Amino acid sequence: MRPATTVFLSATLLAASASAQTRESPNMLPPSPFDPQAAPQRLTPPTPPPWDQPLSVSGVDVLSPEHTQTTAAPEGPRMRELEHRIAQLEREMRNREPTPWVEWLVPSLLLQPQLIWNFYNAAASPNASSGALPPGIGSNDVTATPAGTTNPDFFRLRRARLKLDFLPSEYARFVFEIEPVPRDPSVPGSATIARQIEAIARLPLSRRMIVEIGAGSFEVPFGNEWREHHGDRSFIERSYFQRNMLPGDFDLGLRAAMLMTKKVDLQLALINGRTFGELDHGANLDLNRPKDGTLSLDVTLGDFEFGTSGYVGEGALVDAVNLRFKQYTRYAWDANLGAHIRTRLGETRAFGEFVVGNNMDRGIIDPGNLPAIPLDLTQSVVDRTEVGALVRLDQDLGRFFTLGARWDYYSPDVNLANDARHTLGAVLAVHIVPEMQKILEPIGPRIQAMLEYAHAIDTIRPSGPAGDTKQIDTLSFVLQGRL
């Protein structure tokens, strides 16, 4: 027999034997044909996957289930906790989203509760009669009067103003401001709830120029300190000449303004000519038909500001006893200059203003400053020429302190010799909660305490020779809150 035939028969016999063994034990693999001495191999199945892992259905995976990249399903309690947290966050987001009308509403608030002390010499004392004190009565004693007492020291709510500024679009603006405070006879216009109530149309001519047309009640656009916000001024009151010429903040009328790149402010206004403060001495908004007009220009160049303004109109006098009525012309011109300079101590603000007027005093603080009705109504009144001036310096000392000093002068009639009032004042403001401009835009809540002292030398009189000089010292404490 040939060797090849022998090899073939041996292989056939081995295969048949392996096949027989395989049929006897299905879990056995046949021995390797390349090793005649090898025993049959037992087939070991792979370890089944865990019950919570999906099985492969592709039929082509070569990796065991523990190596298959699968994502385990979250546990039931954990899933419910996550769903609850997501629902809670969604509710918080819905509650945080403002309603449409809140998005264009800008509220602001100014509160100025004040404690005020006044000290007089004999000539200025409310106890004096014809310039003399009663026997045994001091200049600062409290005595009885038909209206109560002469107590000059008290708490009062100097200002409490709530302002709502509606800006529904870039073309419209509506302002509504009220001041519900008790009436104070020493404060012109107090207890007048209505303040600024104005509808404004805004016309952006370009990116650098905006025209505004407003109608309603607004601050008279005349002078600079007059239009300064009460919360920005370091002193609680405006200068004495400002309070005599324009005793109330607001007047009714129509105005137009042109604003250019926040550096030029040009305003023209037509007003009744009778500010709200004058209502203390009259029942009508305007006593005569002619309207008053103002024109003002303010320019900002770097750290410096310059402004000028003019006022022209007509006043009116009423003789309720003899039923006589007399009109007269009044006008004024104002110029002011200011500077804001940064120093190591903080910001330094210097400001000066000068005004000259004719028959501009409203007679609210001192009725004797009004012109008199002539006996012959066909004749003109005797004009009174007024002059006012002020110089003010404010110095910030870090974020928490501000020192201020001011001198102001007012003469209601320059044709009358020695008829004027000089006032020297100083103030220390402590910013308890300073403005946080970088965190709360555009304006943050601020609370500050203001301690102010003023000394006035007064020789104002209606006419005739100069009398005794009045000296008045005023000490004031204010806790101001502003939002």
Side-chain angles (χ1 to χ4, degrees):
M1 187 178 290
R2 288 188 238 182
T5 303
T6 302
V7 172
F8 174 77
L9 290 175
S10 299
T12 301
L13 291 174
L14 288 174
S17 175
S19 174
Q21 293 178 2
T22 301
R23 284 193 300 269
E24 294 175 0
S25 179
N27 293 329
M28 299 294 291
L29 288 176
S32 174
F34 303 99
D35 186 4
Q37 303 298 327
Q41 300 180 9
R42 182 175 294 277
L43 180 63
T44 304
T47 304
W51 66 270
D52 58 348
Q53 290 188 8
L55 297 175
S56 173
V57 296
S58 63
V60 295
D61 290 344
V62 295
L63 296 177
S64 61
E66 61 267 24
H67 296 290
T68 305
Q69 296 181 357
T70 59
T71 303
E75 299 177 359
R78 178 61 176 167
M79 173 64 76
R80 288 192 295 271
E81 181 182 353
L82 292 175
E83 291 177 347
H84 175 72
R85 180 57 180 162
I86 292 174
Q88 183 179 0
L89 291 174
E90 290 177 348
R91 286 195 299 270
E92 292 178 357
M93 291 297 296
R94 285 195 299 269
N95 295 334
R96 192 178 300 121
E97 292 177 357
T99 55
W101 68 271
V102 173
E103 293 180 350
W104 40 265
L105 172 62
V106 182
S108 60
L109 179 67
L110 175 66
L111 297 176
Q112 290 182 328
Q114 179 186 26
L115 174 60
I116 186 171
W117 295 273
N118 289 290
F119 306 93
Y120 308 96
N121 68 350
S125 173
N127 297 328
S129 177
S130 300
L133 292 171
I137 301 297
S139 58
N140 293 293
D141 290 343
V142 177
T143 62
T145 67
T149 69
T150 58
N151 175 35
D153 309 328
F154 46 83
F155 280 102
R156 67 178 180 180
L157 193 57
R158 179 61 187 93
R159 294 181 183 91
R161 298 189 177 181
L162 175 62
K163 184 176 181 180
L164 302 177
D165 206 336
F166 297 87
L167 301 167
S169 72
E170 61 176 330
Y171 304 103
R173 179 186 176 197
F174 309 101
V175 183
F176 180 80
E177 183 178 6
I178 60 174
E179 184 177 21
V181 299
R183 188 186 184 283
D184 187 342
S186 64
V187 179
S190 62
T192 302
I193 294 180
R195 293 298 178 183
Q196 184 178 3
I197 302 176
E198 187 179 12
I200 305 171
R202 306 180 76 248
L203 308 175
L205 301 182
S206 67
R207 297 181 60 185
R208 298 185 177 183
M209 182 180 300
I210 297 177
V211 173
E212 290 186 350
I213 300 176
S217 168
F218 50 83
E219 285 188 320
V220 180
F222 177 80
N224 187 291
E225 188 192 41
W226 176 256
R227 289 181 288 170
E228 186 178 19
H229 192 279
H230 293 293
D232 293 336
R233 189 177 57 251
S234 55
F235 291 84
I236 185 67
E237 301 293 351
R238 296 186 176 102
S239 301
Y240 192 71
F241 74 87
Q242 301 271 10
R243 288 180 280 147
N244 279 268
M245 293 185 178
L246 296 171
D249 289 355
F250 304 96
D251 201 345
L252 290 168
L254 174 70
R255 70 177 182 90
M258 179 178 292
L259 311 175
M260 291 176 279
T261 63
K262 297 183 180 181
K263 295 183 178 181
V264 179
D265 184 356
L266 178 64
Q267 295 202 36
L268 174 67
L270 188 66
I271 57 179
N272 274 335
R274 188 169 177 81
T275 60
F276 285 6
E278 295 178 74
L279 294 178
D280 294 343
H281 287 241
N284 300 318
L285 289 177
D286 196 10
L287 299 180
N288 55 356
R289 289 182 176 178
K291 304 307 171 188
D292 294 3
T294 67
L295 178 65
S296 66
L297 173 66
D298 292 281
V299 180
T300 301
L301 298 175
D303 297 331
F304 297 91
E305 300 175 359
F306 169 78
T308 184
S309 54
Y311 186 111
V312 62
E314 287 193 354
L317 299 169
V318 178
D319 184 353
V321 176
N322 299 310
L323 298 181
R324 299 192 306 161
F325 177 75
K326 181 64 179 179
Q327 297 185 148
Y328 57 90
T329 302
R330 60 186 177 196
Y331 53 85
W333 172 77
D334 176 277
N336 55 82
L337 179 65
H340 300 257
I341 303 173
R342 296 292 303 179
T343 65
R344 293 183 178 180
L345 295 177
E347 186 178 56
T348 302
R349 296 177 294 278
F351 176 73
E353 187 168 8
F354 174 80
V355 62
V356 58
N358 186 75
N359 299 326
M360 282 295 296
D361 197 296
R362 308 303 174 101
I364 300 299
I365 298 178
D366 187 353
N369 293 335
L370 286 171
I373 299 179
L375 295 177
D376 184 0
L377 287 179
T378 61
Q379 301 296 319
S380 300
V381 301
V382 177
D383 293 335
R384 286 177 172 262
T385 302
E386 301 94 359
V387 170
L390 75 93
V391 176
R392 194 179 81 200
L393 180 65
D394 296 333
Q395 177 64 60
D396 290 340
L397 303 176
R399 296 178 54 202
F400 294 97
F401 299 96
T402 298
L403 284 175
R406 181 176 69 181
W407 167 81
D408 69 88
Y409 168 86
Y410 177 58
S411 175
D413 189 356
V414 296
N415 297 317
L416 187 62
N418 195 25
D419 181 55
R421 176 175 173 134
H422 300 262
T423 306
L424 289 172
V427 64
L428 170 64
V430 181
H431 309 286
I432 302 174
V433 180
E435 182 178 5
M436 302 173 67
Q437 197 74 5
K438 295 182 179 179
I439 302 176
L440 301 173
E441 291 288 351
I443 198 168
R446 286 163 285 177
I447 298 178
Q448 67 180 26
M450 303 157 59
L451 183 61
E452 178 182 339
Y453 169 76
H455 177 72
I457 302 174
D458 190 340
T459 57
I460 294 177
R461 62 196 186 280
S463 61
D468 294 333
T469 300
K470 302 175 183 178
Q471 297 192 31
I472 305 169
D473 295 284
T474 303
L475 188 62
S476 169
F477 173 78
V478 177
L479 184 62
Q480 172 180 292
R482 183 182 178 189
L483 176 64

